[in-house]
């Protein structure tokens, strides 16, 4: 069972805006920055958001991140079929003294 | 171009040992925090261990403490993970990853990943 809680699935139609949540606690999200990773089947994860809301070079601005208290969110606007993937949130946990991941949200484009 | 290439995976019996290597190119690996992460078949991501540029600060997830050792070679161009007393639950694809930038020690922010190497622990 993951320390960070993510819904197992999310879905939307092309062009829609979809958001997914990541819930933690004061020992992790509440005091640390959150990163988000995108993973396609059979490939390595790719960093798409870090420090809650920053995008690495090359990541489209259709992907955006936010944080409030002990929860974080990743939003994908102008949904495209190529966005269909599993999205993981991650952060450092001060109690566990290590990096923790959510179980992942599978985004389906209908 | 930043490249990370893992090697050394394979089939090993429970209780056995294996050493993974990560060959790096396209950047000065000595100035970046480096990490190993893994993903069991059909499961989510799990952080395994991280090492800071100087090699003095090392962190492990609880389940591998005392069994796994992360290290960098003296030339700082490769990263290793020595795995002892392997268990069935260690079966996973193991990824080598690099911090996004050289000035941060936030091990949750892995900007570059290798393709991974599969470790299977089974009798």
């Amino acid at each position: 069972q993951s320390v960070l809680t993510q819904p197992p699935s999310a879905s939307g139609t092309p062009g829609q805006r979809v958001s997914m949540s990541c819930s933690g606690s004061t020992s992790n999200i509440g005091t640390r920055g959150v990163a988000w990773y995108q993973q396609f089947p059979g490939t390595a994860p790719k960093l798409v958001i870090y420090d809650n809301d920053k995008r690495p070079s090359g990541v489209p601005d259709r992907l955006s991140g936010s944080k409030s208290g002990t929860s974080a969110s990743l939003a994908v606007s102008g949904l495209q079929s190529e966005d269909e993937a599993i999205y993981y949130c991650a952060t450092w946990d001060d109690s566990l003294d290590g990096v923790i991941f959510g179980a992942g949200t599978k985004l389906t484009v209908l | 171009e930043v490249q990370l290439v893992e090697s050394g995976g394979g089939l090993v019996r429970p209780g056995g040992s294996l050493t993974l290597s990560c060959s790096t190119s396209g950047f000065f690996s000595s100035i970046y925090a480096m990490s190993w992460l893994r993903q069991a078949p059909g499961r989510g991501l799990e952080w395994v261990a991280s090492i800071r540029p100087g090699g003095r600060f090392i962190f492990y997830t609880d389940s591998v403490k005392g069994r796994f050792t992360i290290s960098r070679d003296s030339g700082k161009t490769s990263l290793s993970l020595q795995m002892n007393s392997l268990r069935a639950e260690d079966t996973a694809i193991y990824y080598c990853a690099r911090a996004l930038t050289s000035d941060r020690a936030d091990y949750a922010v892995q900007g570059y990943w290798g393709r991974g190497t599969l470790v299977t622990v089974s009798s």
Side-chain angles (χ1 to χ4, degrees):
Chain A
Q1 192 167 357
S2 301
V3 178
L4 300 180
T5 302
Q6 294 185 255
S9 63
S11 63
T13 56
Q16 270 191 329
R17 181 179 186 276
V18 174
S19 65
M20 57 196 82
S21 62
C22 175
S23 178
S25 68
T26 54
S27 66
N28 44 68
I29 293 179
T31 51
R32 297 284 183 169
V34 177
W36 290 88
Y37 294 88
Q38 176 190 62
Q39 187 178 33
F40 300 108
T43 68
K46 173 188 174 183
L47 179 70
V48 294
I49 294 289
Y50 67 99
D51 289 355
N52 307 320
D53 56 8
K54 296 182 175 60
R55 281 183 301 275
S57 175
V59 174
D61 59 6
R62 299 186 298 102
L63 276 68
S64 61
S66 64
K67 188 182 92 168
S68 178
T70 58
S71 292
S73 291
L74 174 70
V76 183
S77 59
L79 201 59
Q80 301 178 5
S81 58
E82 66 200 51
D83 299 323
E84 190 162 287
I86 297 177
Y87 293 84
Y88 296 93
C89 59
T91 187
W92 183 269
D93 188 285
D94 290 325
S95 295
L96 297 174
D97 217 19
V99 177
I100 54 174
F101 283 86
T105 296
K106 184 176 182 180
L107 175 61
T108 301
V109 180
L110 302 170
Chain B
E1 179 189 6
V2 172
Q3 287 196 330
L4 305 167
V5 180
E6 303 91 341
S7 61
L11 175 64
V12 60
R13 295 190 184 280
S17 298
L18 208 58
T19 298
L20 305 183
S21 295
C22 172
S23 176
T24 69
S25 62
F27 65 100
F28 292 109
S29 59
S30 61
I31 65 173
Y32 288 88
M34 300 290 296
S35 301
W36 287 97
L37 301 98
R38 66 186 179 183
Q39 188 169 32
R43 306 294 296 274
L45 299 170
E46 181 184 23
W47 168 78
V48 176
S50 295
I51 184 169
R52 281 204 194 166
R56 287 183 59 197
F57 295 96
I58 293 175
F59 301 87
Y60 297 96
T61 189
D62 283 348
S63 65
V64 309
K65 283 179 181 176
R67 300 189 299 124
F68 290 11
T69 302
I70 186 174
S71 62
R72 328 173 69 121
D73 71 345
S74 58
K76 305 293 195 304
T77 59
S78 69
L79 181 72
S80 295
L81 185 68
Q82 171 69 43
M83 304 185 295
N84 298 325
S85 303
L86 283 162
R87 307 165 180 167
E89 54 265 35
D90 295 318
T91 294
I93 296 173
Y94 283 74
Y95 294 103
C96 168
R98 194 205 86 175
L100 180 62
T101 58
S102 60
D103 61 346
R104 61 187 305 145
D106 185 347
Y107 307 110
V109 183
Q110 304 298 335
Y112 296 87
W113 297 62
R115 293 187 174 186
T117 186
L118 177 63
V119 172
T120 303
V121 184
S122 174
S123 55

